[in-house]
Amino acid sequence: MPAALALAVAPLVLLAGCASPEGLQDEGPARRVNAPLALWPTYSPAPLRENENPAALKPLPALPRVPSGSMAAADPLAVLDADFASSGGTPPRPSSVRSPELRDLTDDGKPDLIAVVDLDRRTSELRVYTVRKGVVTRILALRAVLAGVEVAAGHLAVREPTKDPRYVSVTDYVWDGRTMGLWDLTLDVARKAQRSTPAATPGPAPALTRVLALALAGNPP
């Protein structure tokens, strides 16, 4: 082995010999685990009222009937106006309505209407409409902070921020033949916009470069 290379390898061997051994270590006695204590175990809340249930069906008979059964034949702004007005609310400004989406969520082979109204810079109203016996019917209404909305295999997933910016809560709704019910509630990693940057060629680690340079110079670290 050349002398210069031997000098370079020797400090690395010494550094490796100083590393802490890996494996199981005794960290003392295990913490005591207590079963959860239920507070107020006899209390049970009343079920949601109809106007509180986001999946409550709400027919909108004031709108023209849709014989085709497809929400593609309805005017999205007229649908939202009729829905808000039926609850005594103010119809949304057209500029606050996102581009409507037509997706089949009720598995009848005909598109349903997914609409979002941005109430301010943070809060939005998400509403889903289908046609039942020729009548436009709202099947879901949510007021939420929308971090994202996704559709897959008839499922509608609504992503909302949590107090931890690393995660979002994901509420999954699916049509069960009668209502757009809650299917699942999970946490997922928050998505961040990624900027494309030129790929840099990785070089040796700074600490390793310094050790090799000192060794070749004859000055061990």
Side-chain angles (χ1 to χ4, degrees):
M1 178 183 297
L5 181 57
L7 289 174
V9 173
L12 297 178
V13 174
L14 292 176
L15 288 176
C18 297
S20 300
E22 298 181 357
L24 298 177
Q25 297 181 4
D26 184 3
E27 297 183 355
R31 293 178 57 188
R32 181 179 177 180
V33 178
N34 296 321
L37 175 63
L39 305 180
W40 310 291
T42 60
Y43 173 79
S44 179
L48 288 173
R49 294 188 290 268
E50 184 176 351
N51 62 348
E52 296 174 330
N53 183 0
L57 301 186
K58 182 180 180 180
L60 300 173
L63 289 169
R65 294 181 64 85
V66 183
S68 67
S70 169
M71 284 302 300
D75 179 356
L77 291 180
V79 171
L80 287 170
D81 288 352
D83 191 7
F84 276 73
S86 67
S87 303
T90 303
R93 293 175 290 101
S95 60
S96 68
V97 179
R98 299 186 191 180
S99 177
E101 291 284 343
L102 292 168
R103 308 287 174 181
D104 183 9
L105 295 178
T106 54
D107 197 26
D108 61 357
K110 299 175 183 179
D112 304 302
L113 172 64
I114 306 172
V116 171
V117 179
D118 293 319
L119 304 179
D120 52 40
R121 294 183 63 185
R122 180 170 177 82
T123 311
S124 303
E125 283 269 0
L126 182 148
R127 304 202 174 191
V128 181
Y129 304 89
T130 191
V131 180
R132 291 173 61 85
K133 298 180 179 179
V135 178
V136 174
T137 303
R138 190 187 73 197
I139 59 176
L140 189 67
L142 295 172
R143 177 170 294 194
V145 179
L146 300 179
V149 181
E150 301 170 347
V151 175
H155 288 242
L156 180 70
V158 179
R159 302 169 66 88
E160 299 179 69
T162 65
K163 291 185 177 180
D164 188 332
R166 297 174 298 174
Y167 302 99
V168 294
S169 68
V170 183
T171 309
D172 191 12
Y173 296 90
V174 67
W175 181 256
D176 63 5
R178 296 177 294 111
T179 182
M180 196 76 180
L182 176 63
W183 177 266
D184 198 11
L185 180 63
T186 57
L187 284 178
D188 193 11
V189 177
R191 297 168 182 169
K192 296 181 179 179
Q194 297 181 352
R195 297 179 180 177
S196 58
T197 55
T201 303
L208 179 59
T209 303
R210 180 174 178 273
V211 168
L212 290 174
L214 292 174
L216 292 174
N219 298 320

Short mmCIF file of all heavy atoms in Angstrom, two decimals, residues 67 79 109 111-112 145 176 186 207 217:
data_model
loop_
_atom_site.label_atom_id
_atom_site.label_comp_id
_atom_site.label_asym_id
_atom_site.label_seq_id
_atom_site.Cartn_x
_atom_site.Cartn_y
_atom_site.Cartn_z
N PRO A 67 -84.69 15.93 -17.12
CA PRO A 67 -85.13 14.58 -17.52
C PRO A 67 -83.97 13.64 -17.83
O PRO A 67 -84.09 12.42 -17.63
CB PRO A 67 -85.98 14.84 -18.77
CG PRO A 67 -86.38 16.28 -18.67
CD PRO A 67 -85.25 16.97 -17.99
N VAL A 79 -77.89 26.70 -10.03
CA VAL A 79 -78.03 25.70 -8.98
C VAL A 79 -77.57 26.28 -7.64
O VAL A 79 -78.26 26.15 -6.61
CB VAL A 79 -77.22 24.43 -9.33
CG1 VAL A 79 -77.18 23.47 -8.14
CG2 VAL A 79 -77.83 23.74 -10.54
N GLY A 109 -73.49 6.35 -13.85
CA GLY A 109 -73.03 6.57 -15.21
C GLY A 109 -73.28 7.97 -15.73
O GLY A 109 -72.98 8.27 -16.89
N PRO A 111 -72.79 12.32 -14.88
CA PRO A 111 -71.98 13.20 -14.04
C PRO A 111 -72.80 13.97 -13.00
O PRO A 111 -73.93 14.38 -13.26
CB PRO A 111 -71.34 14.16 -15.06
CG PRO A 111 -72.27 14.14 -16.23
CD PRO A 111 -72.85 12.76 -16.28
N ASP A 112 -72.22 14.11 -11.84
CA ASP A 112 -72.76 14.96 -10.78
C ASP A 112 -71.95 16.26 -10.76
O ASP A 112 -70.86 16.35 -11.34
CB ASP A 112 -72.67 14.25 -9.44
CG ASP A 112 -73.37 12.89 -9.47
OD1 ASP A 112 -74.56 12.87 -9.78
OD2 ASP A 112 -72.70 11.87 -9.20
N VAL A 145 -61.87 24.69 5.37
CA VAL A 145 -60.64 25.27 4.83
C VAL A 145 -60.05 24.21 3.92
O VAL A 145 -59.52 23.20 4.40
CB VAL A 145 -59.66 25.65 5.96
CG1 VAL A 145 -58.38 26.23 5.37
CG2 VAL A 145 -60.31 26.65 6.91
N ASP A 176 -73.52 5.74 -0.86
CA ASP A 176 -73.86 4.37 -0.48
C ASP A 176 -75.19 3.90 -1.07
O ASP A 176 -75.75 2.89 -0.64
CB ASP A 176 -73.91 4.23 1.05
CG ASP A 176 -74.99 5.09 1.69
OD1 ASP A 176 -75.78 5.73 0.95
OD2 ASP A 176 -75.06 5.13 2.94
N THR A 186 -58.67 10.26 8.02
CA THR A 186 -57.27 9.93 8.25
C THR A 186 -56.42 11.19 8.26
O THR A 186 -56.90 12.29 8.00
CB THR A 186 -56.75 8.99 7.14
OG1 THR A 186 -56.93 9.63 5.86
CG2 THR A 186 -57.48 7.66 7.15
N ALA A 207 -16.70 16.53 6.19
CA ALA A 207 -15.82 15.99 7.23
C ALA A 207 -14.83 15.00 6.65
O ALA A 207 -13.65 15.00 6.99
CB ALA A 207 -16.66 15.33 8.32
N ALA A 217 -1.51 15.59 3.91
CA ALA A 217 -0.51 16.61 4.24
C ALA A 217 0.39 16.18 5.38
O ALA A 217 1.32 16.90 5.74
CB ALA A 217 -1.22 17.92 4.60
#
